[in-house]
Amino acid sequence: MADLFMDTLDIWLMILGITLITAAYGVFMNFVRRPRIATDGSRVETMERTQGVAVCLNVNKCLSLFFIGVGIYAMATGLWATMTWPLPGPYNLVFSDAWPIFGLVTLMLGLAMYVGVDLRYLALPIALFSIPVIVYGVDILVHGLTTEPLFASAMYILLGLAMLISQVPCCLGIMRVSTWVSLSWSY
């Protein structure tokens, strides 16, 4: 059973990386790249075709499907790991319990993007979900739960702080590219 779980941890790590790259792409498409406007007032992207396939009209709608899928997978496998406790002792709490939190946040992001809700409404739930992530980072450092506890705890703590810091501009109404970059990094 341990081999199966190690494969699951590898898949989780790959999904985290792919989700980060996808979120960075969404930030780039929405806020960094300026959309070109056609002469008739419609967006150029609505008229483009790539090798006979129509380009997606709404980038957020397309990305939301990815985030919804990742959120459902992360919640399902995270709940499985939380219920079965395949790792010894405290490792289950630190590594298994953080994965459904990621799944829930990703699912909330995907549903909000699909419906077209302003992402500032996710500010409070994301801030609340950052608390256990910071606590897990401190636990990794205090109990030395990995071979490199300093780096692993720094990853957890910095991720939790990014989730907290990204809320400040949302609550103040200051929405710039840096805000969306920090929001995408926190997911």
Side-chain angles (χ1 to χ4, degrees):
M1 189 62 160
D3 291 334
L4 173 66
F5 190 79
M6 295 313 290
D7 291 338
T8 305
L9 283 177
D10 290 341
I11 291 171
W12 291 356
L13 182 61
M14 287 184 259
I15 288 174
L16 280 172
I18 291 168
T19 305
L20 174 64
I21 291 169
T22 305
Y25 172 75
V27 168
F28 175 76
M29 292 300 288
N30 284 303
F31 301 104
V32 177
R33 186 190 67 110
R34 300 284 180 220
R36 297 173 300 188
I37 305 297
T39 56
D40 63 352
S42 63
R43 292 179 66 149
V44 174
E45 287 81 8
T46 61
M47 296 179 281
E48 288 182 4
R49 290 177 103 35
T50 306
Q51 298 177 0
V53 177
V55 176
C56 182
L57 302 179
N58 189 348
V59 173
N60 288 339
K61 212 53 98 175
C62 294
L63 291 177
S64 70
L65 298 175
F66 170 78
F67 287 122
I68 289 170
V70 167
I72 290 170
Y73 172 78
M75 283 204 38
T77 57
L79 290 174
W80 164 81
T82 301
M83 287 187 260
T84 59
W85 280 53
L87 290 175
Y91 294 98
N92 286 302
L93 294 175
V94 173
F95 297 117
S96 299
D97 288 352
W99 189 244
I101 293 172
F102 168 75
L104 188 58
V105 169
T106 307
L107 185 61
M108 288 180 352
L109 174 67
L111 290 173
M113 289 173 68
Y114 188 78
V115 174
V117 175
D118 189 1
L119 296 180
R120 286 182 285 186
Y121 294 118
L122 296 178
L124 182 61
I126 290 172
L128 294 175
F129 283 125
S130 69
I131 295 169
V133 175
I134 294 171
V135 170
Y136 293 152
V138 171
D139 285 342
I140 289 173
L141 184 62
V142 169
H143 300 293
L145 295 177
T146 64
T147 56
E148 295 291 334
L150 182 64
F151 294 119
S153 66
M155 180 185 69
Y156 273 76
I157 292 170
L158 290 175
L159 183 64
L161 289 176
M163 292 166 73
L164 283 174
I165 292 171
S166 67
Q167 309 315 313
V168 174
C170 289
C171 295
L172 295 177
I174 307 167
M175 301 307 286
R176 296 191 177 119
V177 173
S178 61
T179 303
W180 294 104
V181 170
S182 65
L183 274 173
S184 69
W185 187 63
S186 69
Y187 298 122

